[in-house]
């Protein structure tokens, strides 16, 4: 939030809420306090938080009610999810490129699970594109073809660019 240490103490929580959202936030706050329970705040909505300088950032907020003596308090956990949002957008862009390319393309994670494959790649392995999401490459390609590509994939994850071709033997 870009406040110096200690400056947030005693500050109304509304200072951390963008001005345009304050009136709606007051209603949500009142409803929460009427029946407090641990929860993620505004699941499925894009929440914004406000920094000291007035700039905003995407936030994920969790609320946990606690009792201290006779007084009800709420612990709020607020995460700046800017980096996650950028990564999600980048993944969506990559996925779109993969989907529309005429080349055989597959987007995999570091566990070598398919994230997205395009129709050309799916045709190569004899499967429907939607059936490959989350599947492990070694399970789809079989041991011989997987052995051909595993070394190259490890190098790619280490930042080394490699071009290679593989055998089309999926039954081994």
């Amino acid at each position: 939030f870009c406040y110096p240490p200690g400056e947030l103490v005693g500050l109304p929580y509304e200072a951390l809420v963008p001005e345009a959202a304050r009136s709606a936030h007051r209603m949500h706050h009142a409803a929460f306090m009427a029946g407090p329970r641990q929860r993620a705040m505004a699941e499925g909505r894009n929440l914004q938080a406000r920094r000291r300088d007035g700039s905003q950032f995407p936030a994920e907020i969790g609320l946990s009610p606690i009792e201290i003596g006779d007084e009800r308090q709420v612990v709020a956990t607020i995460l700046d999810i800017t980096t996650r949002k950028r990564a999600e957008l980048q993944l969506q862009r990559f996925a779109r490129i993969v989907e529309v390319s005429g080349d055989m393309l597959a987007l995999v994670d570091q566990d070598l699970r398919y994230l997205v494959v395009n129709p050309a790649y799916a045709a190569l392995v004899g499967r429907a594109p939607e059936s490959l999401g989350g599947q492990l490459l070694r399970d789809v390609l079989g041991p011989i073809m997987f052995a051909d590509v595993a070394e190259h994939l490890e190098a790619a994850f280490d930042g080394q660019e490699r071009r290679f071709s593989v055998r089309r033997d999926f039954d081994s």
Side-chain angles (χ1 to χ4, degrees), residues 6-172:
E7 193 171 323
L8 280 174
V9 176
L11 193 68
Y13 72 86
E14 292 172 324
L16 306 177
V17 176
E19 289 185 35
R22 286 182 184 169
S23 100
H25 186 71
R26 282 184 202 106
M27 290 188 308
H28 293 302
H29 178 259
F32 175 80
M33 293 307 286
R37 60 181 170 71
Q38 186 169 343
R39 68 183 177 103
M41 194 168 146
E43 293 178 67
R45 292 194 354 227
N46 289 320
L47 293 179
Q48 296 286 311
R50 183 179 183 275
R51 292 185 185 92
R52 184 175 190 237
D53 66 4
S55 63
Q56 297 178 28
F57 61 92
E60 185 174 277
I61 302 170
L63 302 174
S64 298
I66 60 172
E67 300 285 330
I68 299 177
D70 294 336
E71 192 173 327
R72 181 180 293 160
Q73 303 276 328
V74 176
V75 174
T77 306
I78 304 167
L79 301 173
D80 180 342
I81 59 171
T82 301
T83 302
R84 182 189 332 153
K85 289 288 191 180
R86 284 185 190 139
E88 288 170 354
L89 182 59
Q90 188 175 30
L91 181 59
Q92 289 171 356
R93 288 178 181 154
F94 284 145
R96 183 70 182 134
I97 291 167
V98 168
E99 289 169 356
V100 299
S101 175
D103 294 328
M104 293 177 286
L105 298 175
L107 184 60
V108 298
D109 65 16
Q110 286 192 315
D111 294 328
L112 302 182
R113 287 187 186 279
Y114 291 103
L115 298 174
V116 178
V117 300
N118 68 354
Y121 184 93
L124 172 74
V125 297
R127 304 264 301 267
E130 60 277 2
S131 74
L132 293 170
Q135 298 292 312
L136 289 168
L137 267 72
R138 72 173 171 264
D139 295 342
V140 173
L141 299 180
I144 293 173
M145 182 173 274
F146 181 74
D148 283 348
V149 300
E151 173 187 332
H152 300 288
L153 291 170
E154 288 175 19
F157 279 114
D158 288 338
Q160 303 169 26
E161 182 176 330
R162 295 228 179 143
R163 297 193 182 278
F164 60 94
S165 59
V166 295
R167 292 178 280 201
R168 297 182 119 189
D169 182 4
F170 295 99
D171 298 324
S172 301

